[in-house]
């Protein structure tokens, strides 16, 4: 399954947007993952300072 952002934990810092190698994350009110682009690499999960992203 693609990465999923917990909107309650995301502070919209933008770190994951920069870390994603395929540009699958967009920053709106919170980060949003384009599931069609996500390769499930896990970079954003490791990079998020708030533990807001998980691979499910
Ligand atoms: S798991 Fe990898 S490809 Fe998917 S959104 Fe996170 S950084 Fe991007
Ligand atoms: S790195 Fe985490 S807190 Fe920052 S925008 Fe991404 S999901 Fe939100």
């Amino acid at each position: 399954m693609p990465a999923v952002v917990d909107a309650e934990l995301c502070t919209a810092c933008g770190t994951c947007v920069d870390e994603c190698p395929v540009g699958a994350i967009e920053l709106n009110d919170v980060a949003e993952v384009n599931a069609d682009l996500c390769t499930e690499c896990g970079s954003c999960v490791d990079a998020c300072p708030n533990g807001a992203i998980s691979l499910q």
Side-chain angles (χ1 to χ4, degrees):
M1 295 287 285
V4 174
V5 176
D6 184 334
E8 299 291 323
L9 295 177
C10 176
T11 58
C13 70
T15 301
C16 59
V17 176
D18 295 334
E19 290 296 323
C20 179
V22 296
I25 310 179
E26 193 173 288
L27 205 57
N28 295 310
D29 288 341
V30 296
E32 290 176 10
V33 176
N34 183 331
D36 292 331
L37 296 178
C38 177
T39 61
E40 305 174 33
C41 72
S43 292
C44 59
V45 177
D46 294 338
C48 179
N50 300 314
I53 315 184
S54 57
L55 286 169
Q56 301 185 343

